[in-house]
């Protein structure tokens, strides 16, 4: 058993407390490799934002859960050193299991030093979801690890599970779910979806902020999470297609709607696909314009820099988390 506290991570409790009070959302960015991790951590340090590093099932299969945990730990040390060098304050970093599918995987992450886990029982019946989530909360809270549950089903692909249509969260269920499970935050389905194809051309890109507000009214002050919140930057899609890619037309979640959600009870916003698009666009551009290059650092380096700039812009303009790290660090002392 390794405690996340000994590794330098923090759970999400104080992050969400400040996010709720100051009207922003903590970024939850997925990582699978070193370049993504470096981009996330340096962007958040430079913009003084708290950050939740997310590890999905796909990431664990690709890069190995143990290695990712050590990389996260290494990122803490890197952040501390860089903060000193740049004369910046340290930032709070959580290591979070994204879409934990069963009790065993949540336990294994908690035991190996994750500070936060998601138990995703959204595809189960309500009763089964309650039971599974409650069991994870009971275990996690023994170690002060925070737990995210989910009610409602997002359309799109979530690891191996594919849902054709949204099943919006039912506001009348949330109070009972929180009471029975004891979760620390709740992911809801209000029209966001995973992946790069969220709305079809011609479709109005709109999330159901009315459902969010209805939920907020029933559980005031409780941290809400939005998955599937990439905005699908059109310049990245165009660059990918210009240099040989074949992405279909797609529209993501408008950034102004995410900003509005972040000002309300939404305290955590998950973004993965936008990073994939920005990295791929830069790598394709370099392969096409500098065909003589074969050193991975010459294309992964610029891709990492583009990714970092994207995260800084998200923190400043969309989530509103830039500049909020000191308020959280003060509470953690
Ligand atoms: O929930 C979806 C995340 O973007 C993770 O995706 O399972 O392909 O790593 P992944
Ligand atoms: P996107 O696919 O919209 O980036 O969503 C990521 C996510 O929800 C990870 O859990
Ligand atoms: Zn998700």
């Amino acid at each position: 058993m390794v405690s996340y506290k000994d590794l330098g991570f923090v759970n999400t409790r104080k992050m969400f407390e400040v996010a709720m009070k100051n009207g922003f959302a903590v970024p939850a960015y997925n990582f699978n490799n070193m370049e993504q991790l470096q981009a996330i951590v340096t962007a958040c340090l430079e913009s003084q934002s708290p950050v939740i590093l997310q590890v999905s099932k796909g990431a664990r299969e690709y890069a190995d859960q143990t290695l990712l945990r050590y990389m996260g730990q290494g990122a803490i040390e890197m952040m501390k050193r860089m903060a000193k060098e740049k004369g910046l304050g340290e930032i709070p970093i959580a290591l979070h299991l994204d879409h934990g599918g069963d009790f065993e995987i949540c336990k294994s992450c908690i035991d190996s030093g994750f500070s936060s886990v998601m138990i995703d029982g959204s595809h189960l019946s309500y009763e089964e979801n309650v039971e599974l989530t409650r069991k994870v909360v009971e275990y996690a809270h023994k170690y002060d690890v925070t737990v995210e549950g989910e009610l409602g089903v997002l359309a799109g692909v979530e690891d191996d599970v594919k849902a054709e249509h949204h099943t919006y969260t039912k506001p009348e269920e949330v109070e009972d779910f929180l009471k029975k499970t004891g979760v620390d935050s709740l992911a809801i389905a209000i029209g966001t979806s995973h992946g790069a194809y969220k709305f079809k051309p011609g479709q109005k890109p709109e999330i159901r902020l009315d459902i969010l507000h209805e939920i907020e009214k029933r559980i005031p002050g409780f941290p809400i999470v939005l998955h599937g919140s990439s905005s699908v930057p059109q310049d990245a899609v165009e660059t990918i297609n210009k240099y040989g890619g074949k992405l279909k037309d797609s529209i993501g979640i408008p950034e102004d709607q995410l900003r509005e959600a972040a000002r309300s009870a939404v305290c955590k916003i998950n973004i993965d696909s936008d990073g994939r698009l920005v990295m791929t666009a830069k790598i394709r551009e370099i392969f096409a314009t500098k065909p003589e290059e074969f050193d991975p650092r010459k294309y992964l380096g610029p891709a990492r820099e583009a990714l970092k700039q994207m995260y800084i812009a998200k923190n400043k303009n969309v989530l509103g988390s830039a500049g909020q790290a000191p308020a959280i660090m003060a509470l953690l002392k």
Side-chain angles (χ1 to χ4, degrees):
M1 175 86 204
V2 185
S3 168
Y4 70 85
K5 292 177 187 172
D6 296 333
L7 306 182
F9 295 115
V10 301
N11 69 22
T12 56
R13 204 163 285 126
K14 298 282 183 229
M15 287 185 176
F16 293 164
E17 205 176 297
V18 177
M20 184 67 76
K21 189 163 142 257
N22 292 357
F24 69 93
V26 180
Y29 297 137
N30 291 68
F31 77 103
N32 300 263
N33 64 31
M34 183 188 79
E35 284 76 12
Q36 289 173 322
L37 182 60
Q38 289 174 312
I40 296 168
V41 173
T42 54
C44 291
L45 176 66
E46 286 177 25
S47 58
Q48 286 290 286
S49 168
V51 67
I52 297 170
L53 300 172
Q54 296 205 128
V55 173
S56 70
K57 179 168 172 248
R60 296 196 309 278
E61 282 164 6
Y62 176 75
D64 190 88
Q65 175 178 322
T66 310
L67 181 58
L68 290 171
R69 193 277 271 170
Y70 278 98
M71 283 168 70
Q73 191 181 346
I76 298 259
E77 297 306 318
M78 180 188 79
M79 178 276 293
K80 287 183 176 171
R81 199 205 68 236
M82 280 182 164
K84 252 195 214 117
E85 287 167 3
K86 293 175 193 277
L88 292 167
E90 293 180 6
I91 58 167
I93 299 181
L95 184 64
H96 175 79
L97 167 68
D98 192 22
H99 295 284
D102 54 41
F103 174 80
E104 281 66 36
I105 182 61
C106 291
K107 180 179 184 300
S108 142
C109 286
I110 293 165
D111 292 353
S112 70
F114 281 57
S115 60
S116 173
V117 293
M118 175 190 192
I119 176 67
D120 183 355
S122 61
H123 300 280
L124 303 172
S125 72
Y126 179 76
E127 289 72 24
E128 288 168 333
N129 188 0
V130 165
E131 189 43 36
L132 176 62
T133 307
R134 193 200 52 75
K135 189 174 168 194
V136 171
V137 169
E138 199 178 317
Y139 186 77
H141 282 184
K142 280 190 208 158
Y143 304 101
D144 206 18
V145 167
T146 39
V147 180
E148 174 185 326
E150 180 166 340
L151 266 182
V153 183
L154 273 66
V157 185
E158 228 171 72
D159 284 321
D160 307 331
V161 186
K162 191 174 187 306
E164 289 294 337
H165 303 286
H166 305 282
T167 309
Y168 295 123
T169 306
K170 298 188 184 89
E172 60 276 17
E173 282 183 352
V174 295
E175 249 181 297
D176 184 67
F177 189 78
L178 303 193
K179 205 162 70 209
K180 287 187 174 147
T181 60
V183 277
D184 302 283
S185 60
L186 181 71
I188 59 168
I190 54 167
T192 62
S193 58
H194 290 105
Y197 305 104
K198 300 187 193 297
F199 299 98
K200 296 194 174 68
Q203 222 182 345
K204 198 167 176 214
E206 212 160 31
I207 54 172
R208 296 286 303 272
L209 291 170
D210 57 318
I211 301 181
L212 168 67
H213 297 318
E214 179 58 34
I215 291 172
E216 218 181 329
K217 254 193 257 158
R218 289 171 185 258
I219 46 167
F222 191 83
I224 299 294
V225 177
L226 284 189
H227 282 247
S229 297
S230 277
S231 297
V232 188
Q234 294 301 300
D235 54 340
V237 174
E238 278 159 27
T239 304
I240 289 172
N241 287 344
K242 177 176 167 192
Y243 293 115
K246 277 201 171 70
L247 296 183
K248 291 179 286 177
D249 284 346
S250 171
I251 306 161
I253 312 295
E255 292 192 331
D256 57 333
Q257 292 180 35
L258 292 171
R259 186 69 200 100
E260 193 181 333
R263 279 200 194 93
S264 71
V266 171
C267 291
K268 171 176 181 271
I269 290 188
N270 289 12
I271 296 172
D272 187 3
S273 299
D274 281 358
R276 298 179 183 192
L277 290 165
V278 165
M279 273 197 107
T280 302
K282 184 51 81 181
I283 291 169
R284 274 198 177 274
E285 182 192 315
I286 293 174
F287 280 176
T289 57
K290 298 182 178 164
E292 69 286 0
E293 289 295 359
F294 64 94
D295 178 345
R297 293 171 298 188
K298 297 286 167 39
Y299 49 87
L300 292 176
R304 178 178 62 191
E305 181 57 26
L307 200 52
K308 177 180 154 187
Q309 295 310 326
M310 183 202 82
Y311 289 131
I312 290 176
K314 292 271 182 203
N315 293 348
K316 286 189 176 159
N317 310 326
V318 186
L319 292 101
S321 62
Q324 297 287 347
I328 301 165
M329 292 305 281
L331 281 186
L332 287 166
K333 282 214 174 90

